[in-house]
Amino acid sequence: MSGVVDRRGERERRSPPAVVARCAGGSGVRELLAGLEEEGVPVRLASGTPTGGAATSPADSGEAATAVELAHAAARASPLDVGVGIDVEGRVCVHHAKRPADRPVVTTDATRARWCGHNAARLVVGLPLKEPPEQLEETWPQH
Amino acid sequence: MTLLVGVDIGNSTTEACLAECGPDGPRYLGGALTSTSGVKGTADNVPGVVKVVQEALSAAGRDQHELAAVLVNEATPVISGLAMETITETVITESTMIGHNPDTPAGAGLGTGTTVAFAELGACAPGERVICVAGAGVDFEDAAAGIAAARDRGVEVTGAVVQADDANLIVNRLPTPIPVVDEVTLVEKVPLGMPAAVEVAEPGRTVRTLSNSYGIATLFDLDPDQTRLVAPVARALVGNRSAVVVRTPSGDVADRRIPAGTLTLIGEHARLPVGVDAGAEEIMATLRRVTPLADATGEAGTHVGGMLATVRDAMAETLSDTGGEQDAAIQDVLAVDTFVPQRVTGALAGEFALENAVALAAMVRTSRAPMEALAGQLRSALDVDVHVGGVEADMAVLGALTTPGTRRPLAVLDLGGGSTDAALATGDGEVHSVHLAGAGDLVTKLIDSELGLDNRDVAEDIKKNPLAKAESFFHVRMEDGTARFFDEPLPAEAFARVVVLGEGGMRPVPTRHPLEKVRRVRRSAKHKVFVVNALRALERVAPGGNLREIGFVVVLGGSALDFEIPDMIAEAVAAAGVVCGTGNVRGSEGPRNAVATGLVDEHAGRTR
């Protein structure tokens, strides 16, 4: 099959530096992007399968990919080495391409998607991670 | 040949030195170290002593039956205590300023107008200059849409104060940017309908107008008396990237000087009062004039009175364990100037202000510790002869003299946890010693309070170890610029933080201060306590107060193991032409084990 060239990889390399987010579920996506925007770090949304559809992984055929798998695939695709994954169950994970696949930076649920966005951005700019928003969550129901 | 063990019971560690004594003098077989059980000089020490003796014996492969005697020193009868009080205070009555530093304020420039709640924006008349205040639960898209709509109607929304971390999100959605300060936790307390100003500086810069008293005076049209009142506001905002000032009719930020009181230093010949707010330097100068100190008292009902009461209470507690009525006359004080970050009273975003404070270490001479009772219990626990003898300072000098390259006249500097002790052995064998307040514990306390850690363990780690910054998940940069790589990824909590690499592994320092600042605090705390005390102690023991007469200075004690304190002291005394260095007892023990070794040495000398 000579002559057929897959240029998707090349296009990815040429794309401007950005954190990559792979979201299988819809919950928390808006908050996640808001966190990144507030910190001023660009982000690119990609499809919610671990390998971006280029090849099918074993996990893809059977059950849906976990947030950790999505995040790690996203981090490896990101020119900034930082990726975020949201799975269908609403788990959110922030990963760095240079970390072992099974040891993400943070894993949490969609209620803290905003916090994950902030932290993904902070990994890029080299700032300490934000404190978990425990106190905020407690005060929300009162309003 | 007799087998002897010398045991030194210190405030924090108990050390042993095992030796075989023959006609040719002692032959050292080894030593051991364990933590002291109970308060030094009490019967609670027995388990620690038993443990250390057994450890020394088993390390040398000897049996307890071979042991001829245990030698215990006369404990130094001093106890020290610490207290710290702020002498300035920033109080905001009726909220007038928000001077916190959110990580991501947005927009740039200065906005002025009347504060209006976000919900009331629609009711504002065109042409009105307003500052929008958005509380909890206002979404950034709604906020941006509301502000944009108001501006379309001609309402001049010149700035905004919001509760959530939303500043950039709002500004990015506005047709023209306005300064927005976010993460104001108590936004509902911002007074509405009052003239206010919001300032955000460009990244990398700090606010210019609101940190300038005349800038605030210009904005709010203040007279000279009112300007005087807002000066503390301006001062508190210096160095911030963003700030909000709200002018309330009765609002006031007071920069109060707390009546710190007068410390009266009673010497043997003179009695001099000194105001604590005059600072540490003045207190120490007064102390030099009354030396030797017989006692010190603080003015009742003031901070210094409270400080000395705290010190005395702490000491009384320790003394109650040793039994008997004690006369707690203060024999030495060390005053140190320091800063304490304190939560500003009445602040809206959890702001801190650096307040001046004075730390005071005091030391009390106690009557003799009940060593005989301890010796009796030791005798039955170990089933050997126990001799109590030897003044601690004399023993330390004898131990220090086993350091290669030393001879009399020799001075010993014992840098401990509670006190700094010095002893000088002149050529004719006479030993002159002093005990000064202030040592390792005070350094830890200064680091803890100046960095606002409120965690003694972290402060202790910072004191003992070099700092590093985690630059990636796999490497840290040490404070001297060298990099260190790790095979295992670092924990996420450590990322981009200042960390200490202690014995227990890596520990992130919970602070926003840059590495440089933490390092500066650490070094200045050590300087303010140990270098000052080393010079004070050596001057007191040196003949005629002349350091040049000393010759050799051997630094001993737990703090002599520190990675920079001995160097700082050596540098400070180098000018006097003194040979100064960390001791190496018996050529192998470093600055440890001097007293235990001295006990054996002295005993061997007597029996020969």
Side-chain angles (χ1 to χ4, degrees):
Chain A
M1 296 285 277
S2 63
V4 178
V5 182
D6 185 353
R7 292 196 188 277
R8 267 180 301 201
E10 206 178 307
R11 199 169 58 226
E12 215 138 83
R13 273 198 298 281
R14 273 205 311 269
S15 61
V19 169
V20 174
R22 286 188 187 273
C23 308
S27 62
V29 177
R30 176 179 180 269
E31 290 299 307
L32 173 78
L33 299 184
L36 280 145
E37 184 186 339
E38 176 63 23
E39 299 280 338
V41 172
V43 58
R44 192 177 75 232
L45 268 175
S47 76
T49 50
T51 49
T56 47
S57 73
D60 209 23
S61 50
E63 62 222 82
T66 65
V68 178
E69 286 164 355
L70 287 167
H72 193 243
R76 293 178 70 94
S78 159
L80 296 174
D81 285 347
V82 176
V84 190
I86 301 183
D87 64 18
V88 282
E89 282 157 35
R91 301 286 301 167
V92 187
C93 174
V94 178
H95 220 313
H96 191 274
K98 299 289 191 284
R99 286 181 73 91
D102 57 342
R103 290 175 63 184
V105 181
V106 285
T107 329
T108 179
D109 52 57
T111 56
R112 289 189 181 178
R114 177 73 178 265
W115 179 65
C116 286
H118 278 281
N119 283 341
R122 282 162 176 245
L123 290 182
V124 173
V125 295
L127 283 176
L129 304 191
K130 241 177 134 73
E131 297 282 320
E134 263 140 0
Q135 287 179 324
L136 282 178
E137 273 180 17
E138 279 165 16
T139 56
W140 277 339
Q142 291 163 16
H143 292 286
Chain B
M1 297 288 263
T2 49
L3 194 63
L4 293 171
V5 61
V7 177
D8 170 27
I9 305 164
N11 284 314
S12 52
T13 57
T14 299
E15 298 171 345
C17 169
L18 184 73
E20 211 166 26
C21 287
D24 313 325
R27 190 165 70 85
Y28 298 105
L29 300 175
L33 181 149
T34 188
S35 50
T36 299
S37 51
V39 176
K40 171 179 176 173
T42 62
D44 295 342
N45 299 155
V46 173
V49 175
V50 171
K51 183 164 176 247
V52 82
V53 168
Q54 281 165 351
E55 267 174 28
L57 284 167
S58 68
R62 304 299 283 259
D63 197 84
Q64 198 171 319
H65 302 299
E66 299 174 60
L67 197 60
V70 172
L71 314 167
V72 184
N73 68 295
E74 200 75 74
T76 316
V78 293
I79 297 176
S80 56
L82 293 175
M84 187 179 295
E85 280 295 349
T86 48
I87 54 177
T88 58
E89 186 182 24
T90 305
V91 182
I92 306 179
T93 55
E94 268 202 47
S95 25
T96 49
M97 73 156 192
I98 297 164
H100 84 133
N101 243 351
D103 288 320
T104 52
L110 180 68
T112 54
T114 311
T115 49
V116 170
F118 175 71
E120 307 299 318
L121 218 48
C124 292
E128 215 177 314
R129 290 176 71 85
V130 299
I131 301 282
C132 170
V133 180
V138 179
D139 188 78
F140 56 87
E141 283 185 354
D142 300 340
I147 292 169
R151 285 173 70 100
D152 284 345
R153 289 195 301 112
V155 181
E156 288 188 53
V157 185
T158 58
V161 180
V162 301
Q163 195 219 28
D165 188 0
D166 279 347
N168 281 290
L169 292 162
I170 293 171
V171 171
N172 287 351
R173 282 158 184 75
L174 292 177
T176 46
I178 57 169
V180 179
V181 172
D182 61 358
E183 290 182 84
V184 177
T185 35
L186 299 175
V187 76
E188 66 274 9
K189 287 201 180 162
V190 173
L192 299 172
M194 300 290 168
V198 175
E199 185 177 8
V200 175
E202 298 274 353
R205 293 180 179 269
T206 56
V207 290
R208 298 291 301 276
T209 308
L210 296 184
S211 59
N212 173 3
S213 302
Y214 303 125
I216 299 177
T218 313
L219 286 175
F220 295 123
D221 197 18
L222 303 180
D223 62 32
D225 288 332
Q226 291 169 321
T227 308
R228 183 179 290 280
L229 285 176
V230 300
V233 177
R235 207 198 59 173
L237 295 175
V238 169
N240 282 3
R241 217 197 116 192
S242 64
V244 179
V245 173
V246 184
R247 168 113 182 99
T248 51
S250 55
D252 184 15
V253 176
D255 182 15
R256 209 148 59 105
R257 239 182 144 69
I258 300 165
T262 309
L263 178 69
T264 306
L265 298 170
I266 304 159
E268 277 171 18
H269 311 294
R271 183 190 179 99
L272 291 175
V274 57
V276 168
D277 50 8
E281 208 169 303
E282 190 58 37
I283 296 173
M284 296 317 285
T286 310
L287 177 65
R288 269 195 294 280
R289 267 179 267 144
V290 304
T291 301
L293 190 68
D295 200 2
T297 56
E299 196 181 329
T302 63
H303 269 114
V304 66
M307 277 163 93
L308 286 185
T310 311
V311 172
R312 276 187 219 265
D313 282 354
M315 286 189 266
E317 212 165 282
T318 317
L319 292 174
S320 68
D321 295 336
T322 61
E325 276 296 300
Q326 300 273 358
D327 173 29
I330 291 175
Q331 299 285 304
D332 185 50
V333 292
L334 175 68
V336 177
D337 282 328
T338 177
F339 296 97
V340 183
Q342 292 243 307
R343 215 167 260 281
V344 175
T345 317
L348 296 183
E351 296 100 318
F352 283 86
L354 266 189
E355 307 290 359
N356 291 57
V358 172
L360 208 59
M363 200 199 55
V364 163
R365 181 170 287 270
T366 65
S367 57
R368 273 177 53 165
M371 292 305 282
E372 286 304 333
L374 170 63
Q377 294 206 14
L378 263 183
R379 217 165 274 142
S380 51
L382 286 167
D383 195 25
V384 286
D385 259 2
V386 176
H387 300 291
V388 178
V391 178
E392 188 164 328
D394 298 12
M395 297 305 110
V397 167
L398 284 177
L401 278 166
T402 64
T403 296
T406 57
R407 67 151 187 262
R408 295 169 196 262
L410 170 131
V412 168
L413 262 182
D414 186 348
L415 313 178
S419 67
T420 304
D421 306 330
L424 177 78
T426 50
D428 51 20
E430 215 174 290
V431 175
H432 182 48
S433 67
V434 292
H435 306 284
L436 299 183
D441 294 343
L442 180 59
V443 173
T444 307
K445 196 176 173 84
L446 288 175
I447 293 173
D448 193 14
S449 63
E450 288 191 19
L451 293 175
L453 299 170
D454 206 16
N455 184 336
R456 203 180 173 280
D457 287 348
V458 174
E460 190 78 19
D461 260 7
I462 293 174
K463 179 178 83 173
K464 287 181 176 164
N465 302 291
L467 297 164
K469 180 161 185 198
E471 290 194 332
S472 78
F473 282 119
F474 290 94
H475 82 280
V476 299
R477 188 160 307 275
M478 307 297 294
E479 63 179 56
D480 66 351
T482 54
R484 204 172 139 187
F485 196 82
F486 294 87
D487 294 334
E488 277 290 292
L490 306 178
E493 308 89 74
F495 181 77
R497 284 196 184 275
V498 176
V499 296
V500 277
L501 299 168
E503 285 155 20
M506 183 180 295
R507 186 168 195 167
V509 180
T511 171
R512 279 173 66 165
H513 298 300
L515 183 143
E516 241 337 285
K517 156 95 186 187
V518 181
R519 179 171 187 267
R520 205 161 54 232
V521 166
R522 181 193 76 212
R523 287 184 63 92
S524 87
K526 286 175 179 176
H527 198 274
K528 284 190 275 198
V529 175
F530 279 119
V531 173
V532 167
N533 258 355
L535 293 176
R536 231 159 48 97
L538 292 176
E539 273 166 21
R540 292 264 295 269
V541 295
N546 185 359
L547 259 53
R548 288 179 188 279
E549 302 283 315
I550 292 176
F552 295 89
V553 174
V554 174
V555 184
L556 301 173
S559 299
L561 293 165
D562 187 270
F563 66 103
E564 56 192 357
I565 292 170
D567 297 351
M568 286 179 171
I569 293 173
E571 209 179 344
V573 301
V578 178
V579 180
C580 174
T582 308
N584 191 9
V585 174
R586 306 201 311 266
S588 64
E589 300 293 313
R592 291 271 191 203
N593 216 286
V595 173
T597 301
L599 281 166
V600 173
D601 195 58
E602 199 241 14
H603 187 86
R606 256 191 291 133
T607 48
R608 230 179 309 153

